[in-house]
PDB file of all heavy atoms in Angstrom:
ATOM      1  N   GLN A   1       0.814  -1.162  -0.004  1.00 96.00           N
ATOM      2  CA  GLN A   1      -0.022   0.083   0.025  1.00 96.00           C
ATOM      3  C   GLN A   1       0.864   1.245   0.035  1.00 96.00           C
ATOM      4  O   GLN A   1       1.883   1.302   0.700  1.00 96.00           O
ATOM      5  CB  GLN A   1      -0.898  -0.028   1.299  1.00 96.00           C
ATOM      6  CG  GLN A   1      -2.046  -1.023   1.286  1.00 96.00           C
ATOM      7  CD  GLN A   1      -3.112  -0.678   2.262  1.00 96.00           C
ATOM      8  OE1 GLN A   1      -4.172  -0.157   1.991  1.00 96.00           O
ATOM      9  NE2 GLN A   1      -2.892  -1.029   3.431  1.00 96.00           N
ATOM     10  N   LEU A   2       0.492   2.237  -0.834  1.00 96.00           N
ATOM     11  CA  LEU A   2       1.229   3.463  -0.914  1.00 96.00           C
ATOM     12  C   LEU A   2       0.341   4.461  -0.051  1.00 96.00           C
ATOM     13  O   LEU A   2      -0.763   4.720  -0.466  1.00 96.00           O
ATOM     14  CB  LEU A   2       1.479   3.933  -2.300  1.00 96.00           C
ATOM     15  CG  LEU A   2       2.040   5.354  -2.483  1.00 96.00           C
ATOM     16  CD1 LEU A   2       3.438   5.483  -1.866  1.00 96.00           C
ATOM     17  CD2 LEU A   2       2.036   5.738  -4.040  1.00 96.00           C
ATOM     18  N   VAL A   3       1.016   5.094   0.921  1.00 97.00           N
ATOM     19  CA  VAL A   3       0.276   6.041   1.829  1.00 97.00           C
ATOM     20  C   VAL A   3       0.881   7.376   1.640  1.00 97.00           C
ATOM     21  O   VAL A   3       2.072   7.611   1.719  1.00 97.00           O
ATOM     22  CB  VAL A   3       0.292   5.510   3.244  1.00 97.00           C
ATOM     23  CG1 VAL A   3      -0.521   6.442   4.210  1.00 97.00           C
ATOM     24  CG2 VAL A   3      -0.232   4.076   3.342  1.00 97.00           C
ATOM     25  N   LYS A   4      -0.017   8.385   1.583  1.00 97.00           N
ATOM     26  CA  LYS A   4       0.427   9.843   1.622  1.00 97.00           C
ATOM     27  C   LYS A   4      -0.341  10.455   2.700  1.00 97.00           C
ATOM     28  O   LYS A   4      -1.603  10.308   2.857  1.00 97.00           O
ATOM     29  CB  LYS A   4       0.053  10.556   0.234  1.00 97.00           C
ATOM     30  CG  LYS A   4       1.022  10.060  -0.833  1.00 97.00           C
ATOM     31  CD  LYS A   4       0.737  10.961  -2.151  1.00 97.00           C
ATOM     32  CE  LYS A   4       1.613  10.467  -3.276  1.00 97.00           C
ATOM     33  NZ  LYS A   4       1.347  11.314  -4.524  1.00 97.00           N
ATOM     34  N   PHE A   5       0.390  11.208   3.484  1.00 97.00           N
ATOM     35  CA  PHE A   5      -0.299  11.986   4.592  1.00 97.00           C
ATOM     36  C   PHE A   5       0.316  13.368   4.822  1.00 97.00           C
ATOM     37  O   PHE A   5       1.405  13.561   4.450  1.00 97.00           O
ATOM     38  CB  PHE A   5      -0.328  11.202   5.818  1.00 97.00           C
ATOM     39  CG  PHE A   5       1.029  11.046   6.599  1.00 97.00           C
ATOM     40  CD1 PHE A   5       1.388  11.947   7.576  1.00 97.00           C
ATOM     41  CD2 PHE A   5       1.802  10.026   6.305  1.00 97.00           C
ATOM     42  CE1 PHE A   5       2.647  11.864   8.173  1.00 97.00           C
ATOM     43  CE2 PHE A   5       3.028   9.783   6.947  1.00 97.00           C
ATOM     44  CZ  PHE A   5       3.385  10.675   7.872  1.00 97.00           C
ATOM     45  N   LYS A   6      -0.451  14.274   5.401  1.00 97.00           N
ATOM     46  CA  LYS A   6       0.090  15.566   5.643  1.00 97.00           C
ATOM     47  C   LYS A   6       0.088  15.810   7.193  1.00 97.00           C
ATOM     48  O   LYS A   6      -0.893  15.634   7.858  1.00 97.00           O
ATOM     49  CB  LYS A   6      -0.863  16.667   4.980  1.00 97.00           C
ATOM     50  CG  LYS A   6      -0.290  18.068   5.034  1.00 97.00           C
ATOM     51  CD  LYS A   6      -1.338  18.948   4.281  1.00 97.00           C
ATOM     52  CE  LYS A   6      -0.830  20.456   4.231  1.00 97.00           C
ATOM     53  NZ  LYS A   6      -1.705  21.314   3.539  1.00 97.00           N
ATOM     54  N   PHE A   7       1.223  16.352   7.687  1.00 97.00           N
ATOM     55  CA  PHE A   7       1.345  16.605   9.151  1.00 97.00           C
ATOM     56  C   PHE A   7       2.281  17.859   9.326  1.00 97.00           C
ATOM     57  O   PHE A   7       3.359  17.872   8.663  1.00 97.00           O
ATOM     58  CB  PHE A   7       1.907  15.455   9.766  1.00 97.00           C
ATOM     59  CG  PHE A   7       1.977  15.562  11.311  1.00 97.00           C
ATOM     60  CD1 PHE A   7       0.825  15.788  11.972  1.00 97.00           C
ATOM     61  CD2 PHE A   7       3.142  15.365  11.950  1.00 97.00           C
ATOM     62  CE1 PHE A   7       0.902  15.910  13.424  1.00 97.00           C
ATOM     63  CE2 PHE A   7       3.299  15.410  13.326  1.00 97.00           C
ATOM     64  CZ  PHE A   7       2.026  15.662  14.069  1.00 97.00           C
ATOM     65  N   ASN A   8       1.821  18.793  10.007  1.00 95.00           N
ATOM     66  CA  ASN A   8       2.604  20.009  10.294  1.00 95.00           C
ATOM     67  C   ASN A   8       2.946  20.713   8.863  1.00 95.00           C
ATOM     68  O   ASN A   8       4.138  21.122   8.733  1.00 95.00           O
ATOM     69  CB  ASN A   8       3.813  19.761  11.082  1.00 95.00           C
ATOM     70  CG  ASN A   8       3.456  19.485  12.546  1.00 95.00           C
ATOM     71  OD1 ASN A   8       2.381  19.812  13.000  1.00 95.00           O
ATOM     72  ND2 ASN A   8       4.409  18.737  13.280  1.00 95.00           N
ATOM     73  N   ASN A   9       1.950  20.720   8.053  1.00 95.00           N
ATOM     74  CA  ASN A   9       2.107  21.393   6.676  1.00 95.00           C
ATOM     75  C   ASN A   9       3.167  20.800   5.799  1.00 95.00           C
ATOM     76  O   ASN A   9       3.566  21.450   4.857  1.00 95.00           O
ATOM     77  CB  ASN A   9       2.457  22.855   6.893  1.00 95.00           C
ATOM     78  CG  ASN A   9       1.383  23.645   7.605  1.00 95.00           C
ATOM     79  OD1 ASN A   9       0.143  23.488   7.209  1.00 95.00           O
ATOM     80  ND2 ASN A   9       1.724  24.438   8.578  1.00 95.00           N
ATOM     81  N   LYS A  10       3.467  19.584   6.032  1.00 97.00           N
ATOM     82  CA  LYS A  10       4.413  18.864   5.148  1.00 97.00           C
ATOM     83  C   LYS A  10       3.783  17.515   4.748  1.00 97.00           C
ATOM     84  O   LYS A  10       2.995  16.881   5.489  1.00 97.00           O
ATOM     85  CB  LYS A  10       5.785  18.546   5.809  1.00 97.00           C
ATOM     86  CG  LYS A  10       6.611  19.686   6.043  1.00 97.00           C
ATOM     87  CD  LYS A  10       7.987  19.268   6.622  1.00 97.00           C
ATOM     88  CE  LYS A  10       8.892  20.560   6.832  1.00 97.00           C
ATOM     89  NZ  LYS A  10      10.191  20.200   7.342  1.00 97.00           N
ATOM     90  N   VAL A  11       3.930  17.141   3.483  1.00 98.00           N
ATOM     91  CA  VAL A  11       3.418  15.907   2.947  1.00 98.00           C
ATOM     92  C   VAL A  11       4.481  14.775   2.934  1.00 98.00           C
ATOM     93  O   VAL A  11       5.716  15.024   2.581  1.00 98.00           O
ATOM     94  CB  VAL A  11       2.994  16.097   1.509  1.00 98.00           C
ATOM     95  CG1 VAL A  11       2.512  14.755   0.838  1.00 98.00           C
ATOM     96  CG2 VAL A  11       1.810  17.161   1.439  1.00 98.00           C
ATOM     97  N   TYR A  12       4.046  13.631   3.417  1.00 98.00           N
ATOM     98  CA  TYR A  12       4.964  12.476   3.503  1.00 98.00           C
ATOM     99  C   TYR A  12       4.362  11.342   2.807  1.00 98.00           C
ATOM    100  O   TYR A  12       3.124  11.178   2.696  1.00 98.00           O
ATOM    101  CB  TYR A  12       5.233  12.096   5.039  1.00 98.00           C
ATOM    102  CG  TYR A  12       5.798  13.189   5.863  1.00 98.00           C
ATOM    103  CD1 TYR A  12       4.930  14.150   6.540  1.00 98.00           C
ATOM    104  CD2 TYR A  12       7.179  13.334   5.940  1.00 98.00           C
ATOM    105  CE1 TYR A  12       5.496  15.140   7.290  1.00 98.00           C
ATOM    106  CE2 TYR A  12       7.723  14.414   6.765  1.00 98.00           C
ATOM    107  CZ  TYR A  12       6.848  15.269   7.456  1.00 98.00           C
ATOM    108  OH  TYR A  12       7.426  16.302   8.202  1.00 98.00           O
ATOM    109  N   SER A  13       5.139  10.435   2.311  1.00 97.00           N
ATOM    110  CA  SER A  13       4.633   9.207   1.701  1.00 97.00           C
ATOM    111  C   SER A  13       5.550   8.015   2.020  1.00 97.00           C
ATOM    112  O   SER A  13       6.747   8.221   2.185  1.00 97.00           O
ATOM    113  CB  SER A  13       4.490   9.358   0.219  1.00 97.00           C
ATOM    114  OG  SER A  13       5.808   9.510  -0.358  1.00 97.00           O
ATOM    115  N   PHE A  14       4.964   6.865   2.079  1.00 97.00           N
ATOM    116  CA  PHE A  14       5.651   5.604   2.310  1.00 97.00           C
ATOM    117  C   PHE A  14       4.890   4.395   1.790  1.00 97.00           C
ATOM    118  O   PHE A  14       3.697   4.490   1.585  1.00 97.00           O
ATOM    119  CB  PHE A  14       5.967   5.423   3.832  1.00 97.00           C
ATOM    120  CG  PHE A  14       4.738   5.179   4.682  1.00 97.00           C
ATOM    121  CD1 PHE A  14       4.181   3.942   4.997  1.00 97.00           C
ATOM    122  CD2 PHE A  14       3.996   6.418   5.140  1.00 97.00           C
ATOM    123  CE1 PHE A  14       3.000   3.801   5.786  1.00 97.00           C
ATOM    124  CE2 PHE A  14       2.820   6.262   5.932  1.00 97.00           C
ATOM    125  CZ  PHE A  14       2.451   4.909   6.203  1.00 97.00           C
ATOM    126  N   THR A  15       5.599   3.317   1.610  1.00 97.00           N
ATOM    127  CA  THR A  15       4.929   1.992   1.256  1.00 97.00           C
ATOM    128  C   THR A  15       4.988   1.108   2.401  1.00 97.00           C
ATOM    129  O   THR A  15       5.817   1.198   3.233  1.00 97.00           O
ATOM    130  CB  THR A  15       5.653   1.367   0.067  1.00 97.00           C
ATOM    131  OG1 THR A  15       7.088   1.122   0.424  1.00 97.00           O
ATOM    132  CG2 THR A  15       5.478   2.174  -1.179  1.00 97.00           C
ATOM    133  N   THR A  16       3.970   0.282   2.550  1.00 97.00           N
ATOM    134  CA  THR A  16       3.878  -0.667   3.670  1.00 97.00           C
ATOM    135  C   THR A  16       3.257  -1.936   3.325  1.00 97.00           C
ATOM    136  O   THR A  16       2.418  -2.124   2.321  1.00 97.00           O
ATOM    137  CB  THR A  16       2.974  -0.015   4.795  1.00 97.00           C
ATOM    138  OG1 THR A  16       2.884  -0.992   5.827  1.00 97.00           O
ATOM    139  CG2 THR A  16       1.644   0.367   4.251  1.00 97.00           C
ATOM    140  N   LYS A  17       3.621  -3.027   4.087  1.00 94.00           N
ATOM    141  CA  LYS A  17       2.984  -4.382   3.817  1.00 94.00           C
ATOM    142  C   LYS A  17       1.669  -4.517   4.557  1.00 94.00           C
ATOM    143  O   LYS A  17       1.055  -5.444   4.411  1.00 94.00           O
ATOM    144  CB  LYS A  17       4.063  -5.467   4.283  1.00 94.00           C
ATOM    145  CG  LYS A  17       5.266  -5.519   3.521  1.00 94.00           C
ATOM    146  CD  LYS A  17       6.234  -6.498   4.150  1.00 94.00           C
ATOM    147  CE  LYS A  17       7.586  -6.551   3.435  1.00 94.00           C
ATOM    148  NZ  LYS A  17       8.582  -7.385   4.005  1.00 94.00           N
ATOM    149  N   LEU A  18       1.328  -3.484   5.356  1.00 96.00           N
ATOM    150  CA  LEU A  18       0.104  -3.631   6.145  1.00 96.00           C
ATOM    151  C   LEU A  18      -1.064  -3.609   5.279  1.00 96.00           C
ATOM    152  O   LEU A  18      -1.061  -2.975   4.213  1.00 96.00           O
ATOM    153  CB  LEU A  18       0.086  -2.484   7.127  1.00 96.00           C
ATOM    154  CG  LEU A  18       1.278  -2.354   8.181  1.00 96.00           C
ATOM    155  CD1 LEU A  18       0.941  -1.064   9.086  1.00 96.00           C
ATOM    156  CD2 LEU A  18       1.336  -3.670   8.991  1.00 96.00           C
ATOM    157  N   ILE A  19      -2.125  -4.322   5.676  1.00 93.00           N
ATOM    158  CA  ILE A  19      -3.364  -4.464   4.895  1.00 93.00           C
ATOM    159  C   ILE A  19      -4.452  -3.627   5.483  1.00 93.00           C
ATOM    160  O   ILE A  19      -4.662  -3.638   6.574  1.00 93.00           O
ATOM    161  CB  ILE A  19      -3.721  -5.917   4.891  1.00 93.00           C
ATOM    162  CG1 ILE A  19      -2.633  -6.859   4.231  1.00 93.00           C
ATOM    163  CG2 ILE A  19      -5.052  -6.149   4.085  1.00 93.00           C
ATOM    164  CD1 ILE A  19      -2.795  -8.326   4.453  1.00 93.00           C
ATOM    165  N   GLY A  20      -5.133  -2.888   4.525  1.00 92.00           N
ATOM    166  CA  GLY A  20      -6.333  -2.143   4.919  1.00 92.00           C
ATOM    167  C   GLY A  20      -6.085  -0.801   5.576  1.00 92.00           C
ATOM    168  O   GLY A  20      -5.018  -0.580   6.190  1.00 92.00           O
ATOM    169  N   LYS A  21      -7.172   0.044   5.552  1.00 94.00           N
ATOM    170  CA  LYS A  21      -7.047   1.420   6.045  1.00 94.00           C
ATOM    171  C   LYS A  21      -6.995   1.407   7.565  1.00 94.00           C
ATOM    172  O   LYS A  21      -6.314   2.270   8.230  1.00 94.00           O
ATOM    173  CB  LYS A  21      -8.313   2.218   5.660  1.00 94.00           C
ATOM    174  CG  LYS A  21      -8.213   3.708   5.975  1.00 94.00           C
ATOM    175  CD  LYS A  21      -9.317   4.431   5.475  1.00 94.00           C
ATOM    176  CE  LYS A  21      -9.164   6.006   5.987  1.00 94.00           C
ATOM    177  NZ  LYS A  21     -10.354   6.792   5.576  1.00 94.00           N
ATOM    178  N   THR A  22      -7.672   0.428   8.251  1.00 95.00           N
ATOM    179  CA  THR A  22      -7.634   0.447   9.733  1.00 95.00           C
ATOM    180  C   THR A  22      -6.225   0.247  10.271  1.00 95.00           C
ATOM    181  O   THR A  22      -5.863   0.974  11.217  1.00 95.00           O
ATOM    182  CB  THR A  22      -8.403  -0.790  10.228  1.00 95.00           C
ATOM    183  OG1 THR A  22      -9.854  -0.665   9.824  1.00 95.00           O
ATOM    184  CG2 THR A  22      -8.446  -0.817  11.794  1.00 95.00           C
ATOM    185  N   GLN A  23      -5.425  -0.570   9.622  1.00 96.00           N
ATOM    186  CA  GLN A  23      -4.019  -0.633  10.125  1.00 96.00           C
ATOM    187  C   GLN A  23      -3.210   0.523   9.828  1.00 96.00           C
ATOM    188  O   GLN A  23      -2.154   0.781  10.555  1.00 96.00           O
ATOM    189  CB  GLN A  23      -3.469  -1.985   9.510  1.00 96.00           C
ATOM    190  CG  GLN A  23      -3.859  -3.250  10.039  1.00 96.00           C
ATOM    191  CD  GLN A  23      -3.529  -3.388  11.574  1.00 96.00           C
ATOM    192  OE1 GLN A  23      -3.949  -2.736  12.468  1.00 96.00           O
ATOM    193  NE2 GLN A  23      -2.682  -4.436  11.810  1.00 96.00           N
ATOM    194  N   ILE A  24      -3.489   1.185   8.686  1.00 97.00           N
ATOM    195  CA  ILE A  24      -2.792   2.485   8.474  1.00 97.00           C
ATOM    196  C   ILE A  24      -3.085   3.521   9.476  1.00 97.00           C
ATOM    197  O   ILE A  24      -2.204   4.187   9.978  1.00 97.00           O
ATOM    198  CB  ILE A  24      -3.205   3.019   7.045  1.00 97.00           C
ATOM    199  CG1 ILE A  24      -2.847   2.083   5.918  1.00 97.00           C
ATOM    200  CG2 ILE A  24      -2.489   4.305   6.790  1.00 97.00           C
ATOM    201  CD1 ILE A  24      -1.454   1.507   5.937  1.00 97.00           C
ATOM    202  N   ILE A  25      -4.375   3.605   9.956  1.00 97.00           N
ATOM    203  CA  ILE A  25      -4.731   4.469  11.018  1.00 97.00           C
ATOM    204  C   ILE A  25      -3.955   4.079  12.279  1.00 97.00           C
ATOM    205  O   ILE A  25      -3.347   5.050  13.002  1.00 97.00           O
ATOM    206  CB  ILE A  25      -6.239   4.479  11.321  1.00 97.00           C
ATOM    207  CG1 ILE A  25      -6.951   5.070  10.052  1.00 97.00           C
ATOM    208  CG2 ILE A  25      -6.678   5.230  12.528  1.00 97.00           C
ATOM    209  CD1 ILE A  25      -8.487   4.918  10.062  1.00 97.00           C
ATOM    210  N   ASN A  26      -3.947   2.750  12.663  1.00 97.00           N
ATOM    211  CA  ASN A  26      -3.175   2.358  13.802  1.00 97.00           C
ATOM    212  C   ASN A  26      -1.740   2.756  13.728  1.00 97.00           C
ATOM    213  O   ASN A  26      -1.142   3.136  14.743  1.00 97.00           O
ATOM    214  CB  ASN A  26      -3.361   0.869  13.961  1.00 97.00           C
ATOM    215  CG  ASN A  26      -4.738   0.399  14.364  1.00 97.00           C
ATOM    216  OD1 ASN A  26      -5.509   1.210  14.904  1.00 97.00           O
ATOM    217  ND2 ASN A  26      -5.087  -0.871  14.110  1.00 97.00           N
ATOM    218  N   LEU A  27      -1.075   2.564  12.522  1.00 98.00           N
ATOM    219  CA  LEU A  27       0.258   2.870  12.407  1.00 98.00           C
ATOM    220  C   LEU A  27       0.523   4.291  12.503  1.00 98.00           C
ATOM    221  O   LEU A  27       1.450   4.731  13.227  1.00 98.00           O
ATOM    222  CB  LEU A  27       0.716   2.397  10.923  1.00 98.00           C
ATOM    223  CG  LEU A  27       2.156   2.805  10.495  1.00 98.00           C
ATOM    224  CD1 LEU A  27       3.097   1.953  11.509  1.00 98.00           C
ATOM    225  CD2 LEU A  27       2.434   2.326   9.064  1.00 98.00           C
ATOM    226  N   LEU A  28      -0.308   5.157  11.968  1.00 98.00           N
ATOM    227  CA  LEU A  28      -0.109   6.610  12.111  1.00 98.00           C
ATOM    228  C   LEU A  28      -0.341   7.170  13.458  1.00 98.00           C
ATOM    229  O   LEU A  28       0.291   8.161  13.898  1.00 98.00           O
ATOM    230  CB  LEU A  28      -1.032   7.278  11.039  1.00 98.00           C
ATOM    231  CG  LEU A  28      -0.616   7.119   9.624  1.00 98.00           C
ATOM    232  CD1 LEU A  28      -1.670   7.818   8.662  1.00 98.00           C
ATOM    233  CD2 LEU A  28       0.762   7.687   9.290  1.00 98.00           C
ATOM    234  N   MET A  29      -1.180   6.482  14.271  1.00 98.00           N
ATOM    235  CA  MET A  29      -1.252   6.950  15.698  1.00 98.00           C
ATOM    236  C   MET A  29       0.041   6.628  16.361  1.00 98.00           C
ATOM    237  O   MET A  29       0.522   7.380  17.184  1.00 98.00           O
ATOM    238  CB  MET A  29      -2.424   6.126  16.359  1.00 98.00           C
ATOM    239  CG  MET A  29      -3.817   6.491  15.960  1.00 98.00           C
ATOM    240  SD  MET A  29      -5.086   5.729  16.943  1.00 98.00           S
ATOM    241  CE  MET A  29      -6.497   6.389  16.230  1.00 98.00           C
ATOM    242  N   ALA A  30       0.714   5.464  16.074  1.00 98.00           N
ATOM    243  CA  ALA A  30       1.917   5.229  16.638  1.00 98.00           C
ATOM    244  C   ALA A  30       3.034   6.119  16.146  1.00 98.00           C
ATOM    245  O   ALA A  30       3.923   6.579  16.918  1.00 98.00           O
ATOM    246  CB  ALA A  30       2.392   3.670  16.229  1.00 98.00           C
TER     247      ALA A  30
END
């Protein structure tokens, strides 16, 4: 999965083996 997110006015992206949006949310909380 390719994920793009914005935090403190900067855009970041990364790839991950994690499956589904729920796990992306869990990862971003961490």
Side-chain angles (χ1 to χ4, degrees):
Q1 289 196 99
L2 173 63
V3 181
K4 289 185 180 180
F5 70 93
K6 187 177 181 181
F7 187 55
N8 290 337
N9 296 316
K10 289 186 180 180
V11 175
Y12 302 90
S13 63
F14 64 93
T15 56
T16 177
K17 296 176 183 176
L18 301 180
I19 300 168
K21 185 177 179 180
T22 299
Q23 286 294 68
I24 300 303
I25 290 171
N26 291 337
L27 177 62
L28 290 174
M29 285 186 182

